[in-house]
Each structure stands twice: as structure tokens, then as C-alpha cells.
Amino acid sequence: MAGHLHSYETLGTLDGPGLRLVVFLQGCPLRCLYCHNPDTWDMAAGRSVTVEEIVTKARRMRPYFGSTGGVTLSGGEPLAQTHFTLALLQALKNESIHTVIDTSGTAVFSASERAHGDDKRVLTAILAATDLVLLDIKAPLAAGFQALTSCSMAGLEQFLELANARRQTVWIRQVIVPGLNDTAEDVAEFGQFLQRYPQLQIEKIELLPYHTLGVSKYGQLGIPYPLPGVGALPADKLAELQHVVDQWTCTGNR
Ligand code: SF4
């Protein structure tokens, strides 16, 4: 089976435990205002790749994975190519390789797949072949999610319901943008949202600082940058909010 690849990162340390082969798949249904990888949006801009090519690369890297590393599927959005992602995850599990998906939880299905209930079947199979989900919660309220991503929150909610029912192991992430979601109230709403999914096995919650490193890519693609004039999030602000979140994870109050 063939999919669309953006690029690889070998020996990645940020996208899951241990040393990892990170596979950046092409395509994303969201248009996050702060996206620093707009070059991953257009599915047609990626190159064709087979499951076997990626599995062969992962097999070669196996000595570096040790007992904790493995393969992370990132993007773009790996759930923009659900069938390819499922086939790849299952092939990696057949090799006993640890699997992570780095996702916003918004999958892409055809209308007929949704009508036949195939969307839930495919997502459940993806979760069953995934050892750890890195779940980027863009925003906790529907209106804010739509404004930030130009996309409905329904896909994320469906993903979370299935993951919750499976007691999936997750690392939760959220990008904090100055003036957008950087207040104590914003973080409290985030915590209330997570309480809707009490069976998720949340190993950690990471707040990530907004940065401006991707701005030049917009110029190269001829796309106006959506957050002109917004500066990077100060480190002390991030630390203050992360401290609040760490209290939830310590007390189980999330
Ligand atoms: S989900 Fe990721 S790749 Fe897609 S628009 Fe948002 S930040 Fe960019």
C-alpha cells in the first residue's frame, strides 16, 4: 500500500519515548493559525512511499531503539491517511516495534465510510496498533477550536471517545499562544475538557510554547501569515502555566 510522505527524522528524541524514527506524513485537514509546517498541508505535495519502505528503514534502525524507542507517525496529520497509517502501524507491530502516533485526533474519511460506520472501525484498529498517542488538543471549546483550526471539533471528540473507551495511553499536548490561550482561565477550561475522558491513561501533559520559526515558510508558499505581530511565548509564562497543569497530574484532578 502506498501513502504520501513529507520527510523522515532519524534518531528523534522529542516525539515519544527513547530514540525514534519519526515519519512525517503529508496532508492535514486542519489550518491551525500557528502551524509552523504549512508545507505539510497539501497531500499532493508529498512523495509516494510504501509501507515496506518505512518498515525496512525501521528494521535497520532497530538497534538504536533499545527497549523504549521505536517509530512515531507524525505530520501533517497521520490520520489524514487513515488506511495507510493503519497498514503501517500493523506492519510495525508485526515486527514488535513500539508505535506512536502524533495527532490532532482529526481523521479524514469519505462520506460513505462515515455512513457505513467504517470510520469507527478504522480508528479503533489504529488505536489497537498504537502503543502511545501524542494527542495535541488544539482548544477545549468548539468555538475556539473552529476559530483556531478552521475545522470542526467533532473529529477530535470522536477520537477521544474511542481512546477513552480503550483506556488508551496518551501524552496530552497543547500549544500556548500569547493572547490566545495563555491565561489561567484558558488552562482551567483545558483541564475541565480532559475530565470528560476519565479513562484515558494520561502519562503526561505538556504545554508547548508558540514560536515563530515557521513564518518564513509562509512567505515561500505565498500564504499570508495568520498571526502577524504575535511574539514567541515567554519561558516564564510557559513555566507558570505548566506548573498549574503539573498540579493536576500530581493530584489526579484533571
Ligand atoms: S494539525 Fe499540525 S500540521 Fe495540521 S495545521 Fe495544525 S499544526 Fe499544522
Side-chain angles (χ1 to χ4, degrees):
M1 181 183 281
H4 299 265
L5 178 77
H6 178 274
S7 58
Y8 293 111
E9 180 186 1
T10 52
L11 305 182
T13 57
L14 299 175
D15 297 307
L19 288 176
R20 311 196 69 82
L21 169 63
V22 186
V23 181
F24 295 98
L25 293 172
Q26 189 74 18
C28 183
L30 272 52
R31 294 292 178 266
C32 302
L33 295 177
Y34 55 64
C35 181
H36 56 268
N37 290 317
D39 49 320
T40 65
W41 290 347
D42 178 8
M43 188 72 76
R47 80 157 168 89
S48 182
V49 67
T50 62
V51 167
E52 189 50 34
E53 174 187 316
I54 296 171
V55 172
T56 300
K57 198 172 177 68
R59 267 194 220 112
R60 282 198 210 106
M61 286 188 58
R62 195 193 294 269
Y64 299 98
F65 293 158
S67 58
T68 53
V71 175
T72 296
L73 307 188
S74 185
E77 170 52 70
L79 300 182
Q81 307 181 52
T82 46
H83 295 275
F84 179 74
T85 288
L86 173 57
L88 177 54
L89 288 167
Q90 289 178 333
L92 291 166
K93 288 319 300 173
N94 285 343
E95 300 279 332
S96 300
I97 292 172
H98 184 271
T99 54
V100 171
I101 58 171
D102 175 10
T103 179
S104 68
T106 305
V108 177
F109 292 102
S110 67
S112 115
E113 283 175 317
R114 287 203 186 280
H116 288 91
D118 291 346
D119 53 346
K120 285 191 185 140
R121 184 183 58 76
V122 172
L123 276 181
T124 301
I126 285 174
L127 289 169
T130 301
D131 294 307
L132 170 67
V133 178
L134 305 189
L135 184 58
D136 188 353
I137 307 266
K138 302 295 179 183
L141 300 179
F145 191 98
Q146 178 78 41
L148 178 66
T149 67
S150 298
C151 197
S152 158
M153 195 178 196
L156 169 64
E157 289 176 322
Q158 179 189 43
F159 183 86
L160 273 166
E161 277 157 26
L162 294 172
N164 186 58
R166 287 184 45 78
R167 305 179 65 83
Q168 200 82 27
T169 302
V170 296
W171 293 2
I172 299 287
R173 293 172 156 184
Q174 185 170 79
V175 176
I176 304 297
V177 185
L180 203 77
N181 62 349
D182 62 342
T183 67
E185 291 74 26
D186 292 320
V187 173
E189 275 171 358
F190 180 38
Q192 284 159 17
F193 177 76
L194 292 178
Q195 284 182 28
R196 287 167 51 187
Y197 306 98
Q199 297 185 99
L200 278 183
Q201 301 301 300
I202 299 178
E203 287 191 342
K204 63 166 113 169
I205 302 174
E206 294 177 311
L207 302 184
L208 307 175
Y210 167 76
H211 62 70
T212 55
L213 298 177
V215 174
S216 63
K217 290 187 187 173
Y218 284 78
Q220 288 158 16
L221 292 167
I223 304 171
Y225 188 64
L227 294 176
V230 177
L233 187 80
D236 58 345
K237 184 71 185 173
L238 183 75
E240 177 191 320
L241 297 176
Q242 182 70 52
H243 179 69
V244 175
V245 168
D246 290 345
Q247 296 305 110
W248 306 338
T249 39
C250 288
T251 61
N253 179 26
R254 55 98 183 154

